[in-house]
Amino acid sequence: MTPLPDRFCPADGTRVPGGSLDWCCPVCRGPLDLDFAPTPAPLTSLTGRMNSLWRYTECLPLAAPTVSLGEGRTPLVELRGGISAKLDFLMPTLSFKDRGAVLLAELALRLGPRQVIADSSGNAGTAIAAYCARATLPCTVYVPEDTSPKKLEQIEAHGARVHLVDGDREATARAAREAADLPGTFYASHVFNPYFLHGTKTYVHELWEDLGGRLPDVIVVPVGNGTLLLGAALAVAELHGAGLIDRRPALYAVQAAAVAPLAHAWAEGADDLVGVTPSAPTFAEGIAIPRPPRARQILRAVRDSGGTFLTVTEDQIRHAQRDLASRGLYVESTGVACWAAVREGVLGGRTAVVPLCGAGVKTGLARE
C-alpha cells in the first residue's frame, strides 16, 4: 500500500505525518495542507476510464476507491449565452460535498479510527454520513440547532448519530473540534482536512474535460469555508503546471451579503479577516460562515487568479432560485447564490460556469 503523504501547516510550516489522526497543526491549531503535487493525465488518455471522479486517479492522493457511490461526472448545461451550470446537485447525496466526503471516508478506512466525527450545516454532514455508512464506519455529525429538518433526516437515515448544538455554525465547529481531540477519533472535517480539497478539485478537472481541454474565462463559486474554491485553485494550478491549459481562469467568489466576512476583507484590501462578522439569518445557510479558518488562503487564491468577490441579497437569492426552477432546475437556496450573483450581466460577456451545489428538496423554496 502506498504511504500516505505528509501534511503541513501553510501558516508556520509544521509537518504532520500522513498516517496520524492529528487533524490540525499542533503549533497554531490551524488547518493543514497536503504535501502532494500530482501531474494530471492528458485529455486523450481519459477515454474509457471509469465514469466517476476517480477517472482522474493521477491527481488523487488515494488509490482506487472501495467506497465509491459513483460520485462525479455531473452534467454541464447552458443557462444563457456564455454561462453554463454544472449540476452538482445530482451527486449521490444531492450536493457537491460528495467529492470531498468520499476521499475522507477512504482515508478513514486506511487509518482505522474508533469513531468518525464531522460538523456541518447539513450537506457535508450528509455526505460524510453516507460514505461512512458505505464504509461501515461509526459516525457522529454535529449540526446547528436550526439545520434544515430534511438534512437532519437524511443524515440519520444513513445511520449516523446527530448531535444538535445549541448555537450557530461557529459553536457547532467548536463542539466538534473538542470531540475530535479524543483518542482514536478521525475528524472528517471538510475545512481542516486537505483530502477534502483534493476531492473538490475534481469539479474543475471535469469542466476541463467536458469543455474539450479548456476552461471558461471565469469560474464562479459560492464561498463559506471555501472548500470548492480552494479545490478549484488546486486543479487550475495542476492543469496549468502540466501545460494542459495556457491561461488561468479568474475565480469569482460569492457570499451572502448577510454574512460576508471574506467579501468585506477583500473590499478593505486585507490579506485576512477584518473585524468581527456576526452570525445572521440568510437563505444561504451553507455559506454563512463568520470566521472561515482558511480565510488567508481563500483571499490569496482569488487575488492570484485575477478574480473578485461578489455578494448577493436575500431578494436576489429568492428570485434566482425561482428563475432556475422555471428553467427546470430545482436547487437549494445556498446553491443558487452564484447564479444570483452573475445572472444580471456583471461578467461583461465573458464565459463562465456556475455550480448548482445542492438539491432544492433539501431546503425547499426561499420565502419572504
Side-chain angles (χ1 to χ4, degrees), residues 248-270:
R248 298 177 185 236
L251 298 176
Y252 276 38
V254 179
Q255 295 207 286
V259 184
L262 292 159
H264 174 64
W266 179 266
E268 295 291 319

Side-chain angles (χ1 to χ4, degrees), residues 4 7 18-21 106-113 186:
L4 296 171
R7 291 161 291 158
S20 79
L21 287 170
E106 290 287 347
L107 178 60
L109 276 178
R110 292 277 295 270
L111 298 179
F186 178 85

Side-chain angles (χ1 to χ4, degrees), residues 38-65 68 70-74 86 91 99 102-103 198-199 201-213 238-239 244:
T39 299
L43 197 63
T44 54
S45 71
L46 299 177
T47 303
R49 293 192 181 189
M50 66 180 74
N51 193 37
S52 74
L53 62 80
W54 293 92
R55 67 196 284 109
Y56 310 109
T57 182
E58 291 88 352
C59 292
L60 295 174
L62 294 170
S68 175
E71 57 286 333
R73 302 298 293 141
T74 53
K86 188 158 175 58
M91 290 287 220
R99 294 185 183 277
V102 67
L103 268 292
H198 284 270
K201 76 183 181 184
T202 59
Y203 173 89
V204 167
H205 283 286
E206 289 177 19
L207 285 183
W208 169 76
E209 182 180 0
D210 289 343
L211 292 173
E238 290 170 3
L239 292 166
L244 296 174

Side-chain angles (χ1 to χ4, degrees), residues 10-358:
D12 57 36
T14 301
R15 298 188 71 82
V16 176
S20 79
L21 287 170
D22 294 338
W23 59 268
C24 66
C25 173
V27 176
C28 71
R29 302 284 288 181
L32 297 168
D33 283 346
L34 201 61
D35 190 0
F36 179 64
T39 299
L43 197 63
T44 54
S45 71
L46 299 177
T47 303
R49 293 192 181 189
M50 66 180 74
N51 193 37
S52 74
L53 62 80
W54 293 92
R55 67 196 284 109
Y56 310 109
T57 182
E58 291 88 352
C59 292
L60 295 174
L62 294 170
T66 58
V67 299
S68 175
L69 292 167
E71 57 286 333
R73 302 298 293 141
T74 53
L76 188 65
V77 300
E78 186 173 357
L79 291 177
R80 190 168 61 208
I83 305 177
S84 295
K86 188 158 175 58
L87 311 190
D88 259 25
F89 67 88
L90 297 180
M91 290 287 220
T93 76
L94 309 182
S95 92
F96 87 96
K97 295 290 176 60
D98 291 2
R99 294 185 183 277
V102 67
L103 268 292
L104 295 188
E106 290 287 347
L107 178 60
L109 276 178
R110 292 277 295 270
L111 298 179
R114 289 201 295 267
Q115 65 171 339
V116 175
I117 294 288
D119 62 280
S120 170
S121 61
N123 284 340
T126 295
I128 298 297
Y131 284 95
C132 281
R134 184 77 165 171
T136 64
L137 291 166
C139 177
T140 300
V141 182
Y142 286 65
V143 297
E145 59 183 350
D146 61 351
T147 297
S148 165
K150 287 296 183 183
K151 292 181 180 179
L152 297 180
E153 182 180 296
Q154 193 178 4
I155 291 170
E156 291 176 324
H158 292 305
R161 186 171 77 90
V162 171
H163 186 111
L164 284 173
V165 176
D166 182 13
D168 60 11
R169 186 66 183 82
E170 293 288 293
T172 302
R174 287 194 298 270
R177 290 167 198 164
E178 288 178 13
D181 284 330
L182 295 174
T185 299
F186 178 85
Y187 183 27
S189 171
H190 58 293
V191 183
F192 279 77
N193 195 310
Y195 279 80
F196 197 92
L197 305 182
H198 284 270
T200 62
K201 76 183 181 184
T202 59
Y203 173 89
V204 167
H205 283 286
E206 289 177 19
L207 285 183
W208 169 76
E209 182 180 0
D210 289 343
L211 292 173
R214 60 182 180 84
L215 289 173
D217 299 325
V218 178
I219 296 175
V220 190
V221 287
V223 174
N225 277 309
T227 55
L228 183 54
L229 184 138
L230 291 173
L234 279 172
V236 169
E238 290 170 3
L239 292 166
H240 190 264
L244 296 174
I245 54 173
D246 57 10
R247 57 166 185 79
R248 298 177 185 236
L251 298 176
Y252 276 38
V254 179
Q255 295 207 286
V259 184
L262 292 159
H264 174 64
W266 179 266
E268 295 291 319
D271 294 329
D272 205 344
L273 300 178
V274 177
V276 176
T277 299
S279 294
T282 173
F283 293 133
E285 62 180 12
I287 54 173
I289 310 296
R291 294 198 62 81
R294 293 187 184 269
R296 291 184 68 89
Q297 289 178 282
I298 296 165
L299 290 162
R300 184 170 64 249
V302 174
R303 188 169 289 115
D304 289 349
S305 78
T308 192
F309 277 81
L310 303 171
T311 60
V312 290
T313 66
E314 301 304 290
D315 279 347
Q316 285 178 300
I317 292 171
R318 192 172 65 253
H319 294 153
Q321 188 183 36
R322 283 165 171 74
D323 178 55
L324 286 172
S326 74
R327 299 166 185 262
L329 300 167
Y330 188 40
V331 184
E332 70 169 319
S333 47
T334 297
V336 306
C338 290
W339 179 236
V342 303
R343 75 187 186 104
E344 294 177 357
V346 301
L347 294 173
R350 285 169 293 176
T351 60
V353 172
V354 300
L356 304 184
C357 296

